[in-house]
């Protein structure tokens, strides 16, 4: 069975699914109602502080900068001699990413810069979609990923992200929590084995 034929059958099954107690007389069938999202209590404490703590706990780094010129200086100091590739114009010293670039060609890029749409204090994650990445492979094939995040875009928890219209309207969306990491049977943690070697979140206003 082809992929398209399989998807057609799945969509058809969703349209005709019935609850056990649902037996309409006219033979029409309605889909299952979506469950209501529960509302959980928000942990006490400063949201930005909680975000930073969770980010660092997951192997990420946190930097706070004042403006775009400060970002230019920081990139030069943090990655000397490297020309970063950027999906956001705020990184003025970096090479703009061509949205038509072949994803596989990003494997030899040392540093990628992108702006996240949201951060999540609960997990220290950043939320990105195809709109932010430009080329989705930017978040996985580069050696070091620098993510710009406006402190105003940090929400308390995952439940808040799920309620945002951005979450349902994006064709592709991902929550990134720290750099790639894996551990063998002896518990030796290795970062960057299957993705970026480092992830740095730079708190910088989008303005």
């Amino acid at each position: 069975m082809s992929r398209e034929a399989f998807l057609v059958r799945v969509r058809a099954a969703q349209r005709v699914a019935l609850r056990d107690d649902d037996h309409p007389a006219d033979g029409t069938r309605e889909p299952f109602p979506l469950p209501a999202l529960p509302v959980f209590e928000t942990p006490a404490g400063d949201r930005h502080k909680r975000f930073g703590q969770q980010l660092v706990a997951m192997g990420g780094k946190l930097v706070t900068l004042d403006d775009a010129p400060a970002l230019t200086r920081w990139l030069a100091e943090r990655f000397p001699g490297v020309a970063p590739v950027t999906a956001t114009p705020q990184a003025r010293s970096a090479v703009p990413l061509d949205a038509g670039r072949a994803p596989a060609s990003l494997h030899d890029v040392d540093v990628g810069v992108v702006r996240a749409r949201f951060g999540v204090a609960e997990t220290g994650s950043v939320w990105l979609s195809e709109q932010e990445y430009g080329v989705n492979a930017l978040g996985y094939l580069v050696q070091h990923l620098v993510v710009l995040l406006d402190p105003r875009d940090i929400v308390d928890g995952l439940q808040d992200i799920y309620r945002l219209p951005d979450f349902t309207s994006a064709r592709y969306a991902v929550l990134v929590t720290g750099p790639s990491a894996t551990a063998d049977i002896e518990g030796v943690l290795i970062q960057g084995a299957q993705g970026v070697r480092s992830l740095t979140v730079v708190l910088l206003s989008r303005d």
Side-chain angles (χ1 to χ4, degrees):
M1 182 184 298
S2 70
R3 176 179 179 273
E4 289 304 318
F6 177 80
L7 291 175
V8 167
R9 294 183 63 176
V10 169
R11 294 186 185 106
Q14 289 176 332
R15 287 196 294 270
V16 303
L18 286 174
R19 298 190 301 265
D20 291 340
D21 59 348
D22 194 359
H23 301 286
D26 61 359
T28 60
R29 300 187 172 195
E30 297 296 330
F32 288 109
L34 292 174
L37 287 173
V39 177
F40 301 98
E41 287 189 28
T42 299
D46 181 75
R47 180 186 299 171
H48 299 160
K49 184 177 181 180
R50 285 188 283 116
F51 173 82
Q53 290 173 337
Q54 294 301 321
L55 171 68
V56 173
M58 295 304 295
K61 300 178 178 65
L62 185 67
V63 174
T64 301
L65 298 176
D66 294 329
D67 50 30
L71 175 63
T72 297
R73 294 191 296 270
W74 179 83
L75 286 170
E77 294 170 1
R78 175 67 180 82
F79 305 104
V82 174
V85 171
T86 180
T88 171
Q90 205 164 14
R92 301 171 185 172
S93 61
V95 179
L97 174 66
D98 180 0
R101 181 170 178 170
S105 69
L106 293 170
H107 77 281
D108 60 352
V109 174
D110 288 321
V111 181
V113 185
V114 66
R115 173 167 283 284
R117 201 177 306 187
F118 302 107
V120 184
E122 178 184 0
T123 57
S125 308
V126 288
W127 189 93
L128 296 138
S129 72
E130 78 279 357
Q131 182 175 343
E132 285 73 43
Y133 274 138
V135 178
N136 292 341
L138 180 68
Y140 310 99
L141 295 186
V142 301
Q143 295 296 305
H144 305 279
L145 186 64
V146 176
V147 181
L148 310 184
L149 177 65
D150 192 317
R152 295 170 293 183
D153 294 332
I154 299 176
V155 301
D156 280 309
L158 294 173
Q159 61 174 338
D160 301 297
I161 286 288
Y162 297 149
R163 286 180 168 83
L164 294 172
D166 310 69
F167 190 85
T168 55
S169 63
R171 294 174 55 232
Y172 173 89
V174 62
L175 283 163
V176 180
T177 309
S180 169
T182 187
D184 62 18
I185 196 170
E186 295 181 353
V188 178
L189 181 65
I190 300 174
Q191 292 185 344
Q194 300 169 334
V196 297
R197 292 165 53 193
S198 74
L199 181 141
T200 304
V201 175
V202 177
L203 296 181
L204 177 64
S205 171
R206 59 180 176 273
D207 301 329

Short mmCIF file of all heavy atoms in Angstrom, two decimals, residues 141-181:
data_model
loop_
_atom_site.label_atom_id
_atom_site.label_comp_id
_atom_site.label_asym_id
_atom_site.label_seq_id
_atom_site.Cartn_x
_atom_site.Cartn_y
_atom_site.Cartn_z
N LEU A 141 21.93 19.58 11.81
CA LEU A 141 23.18 19.23 11.13
C LEU A 141 24.35 20.14 11.48
O LEU A 141 25.50 19.75 11.29
CB LEU A 141 22.98 19.24 9.61
CG LEU A 141 22.01 18.18 9.07
CD1 LEU A 141 22.01 18.20 7.54
CD2 LEU A 141 22.35 16.78 9.57
N VAL A 142 24.08 21.35 11.98
CA VAL A 142 25.19 22.23 12.34
C VAL A 142 25.85 21.72 13.62
O VAL A 142 25.26 20.95 14.39
CB VAL A 142 24.71 23.68 12.53
CG1 VAL A 142 24.06 24.20 11.26
CG2 VAL A 142 23.77 23.80 13.71
N GLN A 143 27.08 22.15 13.85
CA GLN A 143 27.80 21.70 15.04
C GLN A 143 27.31 22.41 16.30
O GLN A 143 27.16 21.80 17.36
CB GLN A 143 29.30 21.95 14.85
CG GLN A 143 29.94 21.13 13.74
CD GLN A 143 29.89 19.64 14.04
OE1 GLN A 143 30.35 19.18 15.08
NE2 GLN A 143 29.30 18.88 13.14
N HIS A 144 27.08 23.71 16.20
CA HIS A 144 26.69 24.51 17.36
C HIS A 144 25.48 25.37 16.97
O HIS A 144 25.53 26.09 15.97
CB HIS A 144 27.84 25.40 17.83
CG HIS A 144 29.10 24.64 18.11
ND1 HIS A 144 29.31 23.97 19.29
CD2 HIS A 144 30.22 24.44 17.34
CE1 HIS A 144 30.50 23.38 19.26
NE2 HIS A 144 31.07 23.65 18.08
N LEU A 145 24.44 25.31 17.77
CA LEU A 145 23.22 26.06 17.48
C LEU A 145 23.05 27.18 18.50
O LEU A 145 23.06 26.94 19.71
CB LEU A 145 22.00 25.13 17.52
CG LEU A 145 20.66 25.76 17.09
CD1 LEU A 145 20.72 26.17 15.62
CD2 LEU A 145 19.52 24.77 17.30
N VAL A 146 22.90 28.39 17.99
CA VAL A 146 22.65 29.57 18.83
C VAL A 146 21.21 30.00 18.60
O VAL A 146 20.82 30.28 17.46
CB VAL A 146 23.62 30.72 18.47
CG1 VAL A 146 23.28 31.97 19.29
CG2 VAL A 146 25.07 30.29 18.72
N VAL A 147 20.43 30.04 19.67
CA VAL A 147 19.01 30.34 19.57
C VAL A 147 18.72 31.66 20.27
O VAL A 147 18.93 31.78 21.49
CB VAL A 147 18.14 29.22 20.19
CG1 VAL A 147 16.66 29.56 20.05
CG2 VAL A 147 18.45 27.88 19.53
N LEU A 148 18.26 32.65 19.53
CA LEU A 148 17.87 33.92 20.11
C LEU A 148 16.45 33.80 20.65
O LEU A 148 15.58 33.21 20.02
CB LEU A 148 17.93 35.05 19.08
CG LEU A 148 19.22 35.17 18.24
CD1 LEU A 148 19.14 36.40 17.35
CD2 LEU A 148 20.44 35.20 19.13
N LEU A 149 16.23 34.37 21.83
CA LEU A 149 14.92 34.27 22.46
C LEU A 149 14.61 35.56 23.20
O LEU A 149 15.40 36.00 24.04
CB LEU A 149 14.88 33.08 23.43
CG LEU A 149 13.60 32.89 24.23
CD1 LEU A 149 12.43 32.56 23.32
CD2 LEU A 149 13.78 31.79 25.28
N ASP A 150 13.47 36.13 22.89
CA ASP A 150 13.02 37.32 23.63
C ASP A 150 12.48 36.86 24.97
O ASP A 150 11.61 35.97 25.02
CB ASP A 150 11.92 38.03 22.83
CG ASP A 150 11.60 39.42 23.37
OD1 ASP A 150 11.51 39.57 24.61
OD2 ASP A 150 11.44 40.35 22.56
N PRO A 151 12.95 37.43 26.09
CA PRO A 151 12.45 37.01 27.40
C PRO A 151 10.93 37.12 27.52
O PRO A 151 10.31 36.37 28.29
CB PRO A 151 13.15 37.97 28.37
CG PRO A 151 14.40 38.38 27.66
CD PRO A 151 14.03 38.42 26.21
N ARG A 152 10.32 38.01 26.75
CA ARG A 152 8.86 38.17 26.79
C ARG A 152 8.14 36.98 26.18
O ARG A 152 6.93 36.82 26.36
CB ARG A 152 8.46 39.46 26.06
CG ARG A 152 8.96 40.74 26.73
CD ARG A 152 8.72 41.93 25.84
NE ARG A 152 9.53 41.89 24.63
CZ ARG A 152 9.58 42.83 23.71
NH1 ARG A 152 8.84 43.92 23.86
NH2 ARG A 152 10.34 42.71 22.64
N ASP A 153 8.88 36.16 25.43
CA ASP A 153 8.27 35.01 24.74
C ASP A 153 8.40 33.72 25.53
O ASP A 153 8.14 32.63 24.99
CB ASP A 153 8.90 34.83 23.36
CG ASP A 153 8.60 36.00 22.43
OD1 ASP A 153 7.54 36.62 22.61
OD2 ASP A 153 9.41 36.28 21.54
N ILE A 154 8.80 33.80 26.78
CA ILE A 154 8.90 32.62 27.63
C ILE A 154 7.57 32.39 28.33
O ILE A 154 7.05 33.29 28.99
CB ILE A 154 10.03 32.76 28.68
CG1 ILE A 154 11.39 32.92 27.98
CG2 ILE A 154 10.07 31.54 29.60
CD1 ILE A 154 12.54 33.16 28.93
N VAL A 155 7.01 31.20 28.16
CA VAL A 155 5.75 30.84 28.83
C VAL A 155 6.08 29.89 29.98
O VAL A 155 7.18 29.35 30.08
CB VAL A 155 4.76 30.19 27.85
CG1 VAL A 155 4.44 31.13 26.71
CG2 VAL A 155 5.30 28.87 27.31
N ASP A 156 5.09 29.68 30.85
CA ASP A 156 5.34 28.86 32.04
C ASP A 156 5.54 27.39 31.73
O ASP A 156 6.48 26.77 32.22
CB ASP A 156 4.19 29.02 33.03
CG ASP A 156 4.30 30.30 33.85
OD1 ASP A 156 5.39 30.54 34.42
OD2 ASP A 156 3.33 31.07 33.89
N GLY A 157 4.62 26.79 30.97
CA GLY A 157 4.69 25.35 30.80
C GLY A 157 4.28 24.87 29.42
O GLY A 157 3.83 25.65 28.56
N LEU A 158 4.41 23.57 29.21
CA LEU A 158 4.03 22.98 27.94
C LEU A 158 2.55 23.16 27.64
O LEU A 158 2.14 23.30 26.49
CB LEU A 158 4.38 21.48 27.95
CG LEU A 158 5.88 21.15 28.02
CD1 LEU A 158 6.07 19.65 28.20
CD2 LEU A 158 6.59 21.62 26.77
N GLN A 159 1.74 23.17 28.70
CA GLN A 159 0.30 23.36 28.49
C GLN A 159 0.00 24.70 27.85
O GLN A 159 -0.97 24.84 27.09
CB GLN A 159 -0.43 23.25 29.83
CG GLN A 159 0.00 24.31 30.85
CD GLN A 159 -0.84 24.27 32.10
OE1 GLN A 159 -1.95 23.76 32.10
NE2 GLN A 159 -0.31 24.80 33.20
N ASP A 160 0.84 25.70 28.11
CA ASP A 160 0.64 27.02 27.51
C ASP A 160 0.98 27.00 26.02
O ASP A 160 0.31 27.65 25.21
CB ASP A 160 1.50 28.06 28.22
CG ASP A 160 1.17 28.14 29.71
OD1 ASP A 160 0.03 28.51 30.03
OD2 ASP A 160 2.04 27.82 30.53
N ILE A 161 2.03 26.27 25.67
CA ILE A 161 2.41 26.14 24.27
C ILE A 161 1.30 25.47 23.47
O ILE A 161 0.96 25.90 22.35
CB ILE A 161 3.72 25.33 24.15
CG1 ILE A 161 4.93 26.17 24.58
CG2 ILE A 161 3.93 24.83 22.71
CD1 ILE A 161 5.32 27.26 23.63
N TYR A 162 0.73 24.40 24.02
CA TYR A 162 -0.31 23.66 23.30
C TYR A 162 -1.54 24.51 23.02
O TYR A 162 -2.30 24.21 22.10
CB TYR A 162 -0.71 22.42 24.10
CG TYR A 162 0.40 21.42 24.29
CD1 TYR A 162 0.47 20.63 25.43
CD2 TYR A 162 1.41 21.27 23.34
CE1 TYR A 162 1.50 19.71 25.62
CE2 TYR A 162 2.44 20.37 23.52
CZ TYR A 162 2.48 19.59 24.66
OH TYR A 162 3.50 18.69 24.84
N ARG A 163 -1.75 25.55 23.79
CA ARG A 163 -2.93 26.40 23.62
C ARG A 163 -2.70 27.56 22.64
O ARG A 163 -3.64 28.26 22.30
CB ARG A 163 -3.37 26.95 24.98
CG ARG A 163 -4.04 25.91 25.86
CD ARG A 163 -4.47 26.51 27.20
NE ARG A 163 -5.34 25.61 27.90
CZ ARG A 163 -4.93 24.58 28.66
NH1 ARG A 163 -3.64 24.36 28.78
NH2 ARG A 163 -5.79 23.78 29.26
N LEU A 164 -1.48 27.76 22.22
CA LEU A 164 -1.18 28.86 21.31
C LEU A 164 -1.57 28.50 19.88
O LEU A 164 -1.36 27.35 19.45
CB LEU A 164 0.31 29.21 21.38
CG LEU A 164 0.79 29.79 22.71
CD1 LEU A 164 2.31 29.89 22.72
CD2 LEU A 164 0.17 31.15 22.97
N PRO A 165 -2.11 29.43 19.12
CA PRO A 165 -2.49 29.13 17.73
C PRO A 165 -1.29 28.74 16.87
O PRO A 165 -1.45 28.01 15.88
CB PRO A 165 -3.14 30.43 17.24
CG PRO A 165 -2.62 31.50 18.16
CD PRO A 165 -2.44 30.82 19.49
N ASP A 166 -0.11 29.22 17.22
CA ASP A 166 1.09 28.87 16.45
C ASP A 166 1.32 27.36 16.42
O ASP A 166 1.83 26.81 15.45
CB ASP A 166 2.33 29.55 17.06
CG ASP A 166 2.12 31.02 17.29
OD1 ASP A 166 1.31 31.36 18.18
OD2 ASP A 166 2.77 31.84 16.62
N PHE A 167 0.96 26.69 17.51
CA PHE A 167 1.22 25.26 17.62
C PHE A 167 0.39 24.46 16.61
O PHE A 167 0.85 23.45 16.08
CB PHE A 167 0.89 24.79 19.05
CG PHE A 167 1.33 23.39 19.34
CD1 PHE A 167 2.63 23.12 19.75
CD2 PHE A 167 0.46 22.32 19.20
CE1 PHE A 167 3.04 21.83 20.03
CE2 PHE A 167 0.87 21.03 19.46
CZ PHE A 167 2.16 20.78 19.87
N THR A 168 -0.83 24.91 16.36
CA THR A 168 -1.71 24.16 15.45
C THR A 168 -1.58 24.62 14.00
O THR A 168 -1.93 23.88 13.08
CB THR A 168 -3.18 24.31 15.89
OG1 THR A 168 -3.51 25.70 15.97
CG2 THR A 168 -3.39 23.67 17.25
N SER A 169 -1.08 25.83 13.77
CA SER A 169 -0.99 26.34 12.41
C SER A 169 0.32 25.99 11.72
O SER A 169 0.41 26.03 10.49
CB SER A 169 -1.18 27.86 12.39
OG SER A 169 -0.13 28.50 13.12
N ALA A 170 1.35 25.64 12.47
CA ALA A 170 2.65 25.33 11.87
C ALA A 170 2.63 23.99 11.15
O ALA A 170 2.03 23.02 11.63
CB ALA A 170 3.73 25.33 12.95
N ARG A 171 3.26 23.92 10.00
CA ARG A 171 3.38 22.65 9.27
C ARG A 171 4.41 21.76 9.95
O ARG A 171 4.31 20.53 9.89
CB ARG A 171 3.80 22.92 7.83
CG ARG A 171 2.74 23.66 7.01
CD ARG A 171 3.25 24.04 5.63
NE ARG A 171 3.75 22.87 4.92
CZ ARG A 171 4.96 22.81 4.36
NH1 ARG A 171 5.78 23.85 4.46
NH2 ARG A 171 5.35 21.74 3.73
N TYR A 172 5.41 22.37 10.53
CA TYR A 172 6.47 21.63 11.23
C TYR A 172 6.82 22.42 12.47
O TYR A 172 7.02 23.63 12.42
CB TYR A 172 7.70 21.49 10.33
CG TYR A 172 8.90 20.88 11.03
CD1 TYR A 172 9.09 19.50 11.05
CD2 TYR A 172 9.84 21.68 11.67
CE1 TYR A 172 10.18 18.94 11.69
CE2 TYR A 172 10.94 21.13 12.31
CZ TYR A 172 11.10 19.76 12.32
OH TYR A 172 12.18 19.20 12.96
N ALA A 173 6.85 21.76 13.61
CA ALA A 173 7.20 22.44 14.86
C ALA A 173 7.95 21.48 15.76
O ALA A 173 7.70 20.27 15.74
CB ALA A 173 5.94 22.96 15.57
N VAL A 174 8.86 22.02 16.55
CA VAL A 174 9.67 21.17 17.42
C VAL A 174 10.02 21.93 18.69
O VAL A 174 10.19 23.15 18.67
CB VAL A 174 10.96 20.72 16.69
CG1 VAL A 174 11.83 21.91 16.33
CG2 VAL A 174 11.74 19.71 17.51
N LEU A 175 10.06 21.21 19.79
CA LEU A 175 10.55 21.74 21.06
C LEU A 175 11.96 21.19 21.26
O LEU A 175 12.16 19.98 21.35
CB LEU A 175 9.64 21.31 22.22
CG LEU A 175 8.33 22.08 22.34
CD1 LEU A 175 7.35 21.32 23.23
CD2 LEU A 175 8.56 23.48 22.90
N VAL A 176 12.94 22.08 21.30
CA VAL A 176 14.34 21.68 21.44
C VAL A 176 14.76 21.91 22.89
O VAL A 176 14.62 23.01 23.42
CB VAL A 176 15.25 22.48 20.50
CG1 VAL A 176 16.70 22.05 20.65
CG2 VAL A 176 14.78 22.31 19.06
N THR A 177 15.28 20.86 23.51
CA THR A 177 15.71 20.94 24.90
C THR A 177 17.17 20.53 25.01
O THR A 177 17.49 19.34 25.04
CB THR A 177 14.84 20.03 25.80
OG1 THR A 177 13.46 20.30 25.54
CG2 THR A 177 15.13 20.26 27.27
N GLY A 178 18.05 21.48 25.02
CA GLY A 178 19.48 21.20 25.15
C GLY A 178 20.08 20.61 23.88
O GLY A 178 19.38 20.39 22.89
N PRO A 179 21.38 20.33 23.89
CA PRO A 179 22.05 19.74 22.74
C PRO A 179 21.71 18.25 22.63
O PRO A 179 21.14 17.66 23.55
CB PRO A 179 23.54 19.94 23.06
CG PRO A 179 23.59 19.91 24.56
CD PRO A 179 22.31 20.58 25.01
N SER A 180 22.07 17.67 21.51
CA SER A 180 21.90 16.23 21.33
C SER A 180 22.72 15.49 22.38
O SER A 180 23.84 15.88 22.71
CB SER A 180 22.37 15.83 19.93
OG SER A 180 22.46 14.43 19.81
N ALA A 181 22.17 14.42 22.92
CA ALA A 181 22.89 13.66 23.95
C ALA A 181 22.46 12.20 23.93
O ALA A 181 21.32 11.88 23.61
CB ALA A 181 22.63 14.25 25.34
#
